[in-house]
Each structure stands twice: as C-alpha cells, then as structure tokens.
Amino acid sequence: MPKSIDNLLKGTLKFREEDFNNLKHLYEKLKDKQSPHTLFIGCSDSRVIPNLITKTLPGELFIVRNIANIVPPYRIAKDYAGTTAAIEYAVNVLKVENIVVCGHSNCGGCKTLLQGFQQFNDLPNIREWLKISACIIDEIKKIEVHHEEYLQLFVEQMNIVCQLENLLTYPYIRERYKEKKLNLLGWHYIISTGEIYAYNFEKQKFEPLNF
C-alpha cells in the first residue's frame, strides 16, 4: 500500500478517536442541519486551509474551492456550474452573512495570467476557466514596474478584486449587499508568513488585516 494512502487511513482513524470525540457535542448538533455564517471562496491549493486560517469549527464556513478562487459572472448556466450553484445555495438557502474571497501568494493560476494561456493548450478546461479573469491582463499592461514578485502580487490581488466585482453581478447578492445584509470581504493570504491582507473598498487597496 502506498505511504500516502496509509497516511490517509491512519488519519481518519485518528480523527474518529481524537478530534471527533473532542467535538462530539458539536457534531450532534450539526447532524440534522447547518447554518454557516460565512461563504468562503478560496483556491484549491493544498496549502490554503480555510478552517485552519480562520480558526473556525465545523458548521461555521460553507466552502467553495476552485483553481484561482474564481467567481464566474452571474448567468443561468446551461452547463455544469458548481461554483455558481454553491453561491446561490449559500446566499439564498443558508442565508450567510458574509462572503470571503481568499486568494493567496504563489498562486499558479494567477501566474498563468502573467505568462499566457498558451501553456495550457493541452489542458483546455483549465485554460477556459482562467479566462474568466482575463480582464486582469489589460491591467497588467498598465503597470510600469516589471519586477516578477511585484507583478505576481499585483495579479493575485487584482484577481481577488475581479471576483468581488463578479459577485456583485449576482442580483440577489447585489441587493443584500446594498441593504447591508451581506458583507463582502477580499483577502490575500501570504503562505510564508500567515499574514492576511484585506481589500479596503473605499481606498481600493489591500491593507494588513487588523482589528
């Protein structure tokens, strides 16, 4: 048996014996329903763990993860629409109070926006998915600083802003946001330091997350 599978199996046993038992009372309350307060839209990257970053318990976050934490613009889809359907469910059924779009440092999807889509000619589904954020490419052309690390940071943060704008194309989100019944948050998580930079809508820039 491969070591990775062995680790998975041992991990599930350890979860049942330790973590689950420590929160058994909570799981008992959650067995029939959920009422998360936040929809967390994050990247599928294995280094970004929503509950770990936010120190939240089971039942608090409704989580959507995909490549580059992308939100497709609103449409009534004729094809597969996992992210759109999850957003619709979180806002209209679960009535979440907050939506967090969380991007991160060293994002491979955002790096593709810098390097061009041609590298994904043999991976058409990834290419087409990332094209949702293609508008950022025009913003990159306006940048005078061409340092690689700066450009990567710029694209990752612009991508988060793009998804916040896409969220506001959803009529039910736009309505609840205007009525101050729904909070929209944009976070940029730095893997190497654990820091989070939050988007300030008024100043239109990212600032260290403070309380």
Side-chain angles (χ1 to χ4, degrees), residues 134-144 151 154 158:
C135 59
I136 296 172
I137 295 174
D138 292 332
E139 296 299 322
I140 296 171
K141 295 175 182 177
K142 301 175 185 178
I143 299 298
E144 296 180 359
L151 285 173
F154 176 81
M158 281 300 301

Side-chain angles (χ1 to χ4, degrees), residues 68-109:
N69 43 272
I70 286 175
V71 175
Y74 178 75
R75 83 266 192 233
I76 299 176
K78 301 298 183 182
D79 54 3
Y80 304 107
T83 296
T84 305
I87 291 170
E88 189 172 84
Y89 187 78
V91 177
N92 292 321
V93 179
L94 297 176
K95 307 294 184 184
V96 295
E97 301 169 0
N98 317 292
I99 301 179
V100 174
V101 176
C102 183
H104 66 93
S105 60
N106 192 237
C107 178

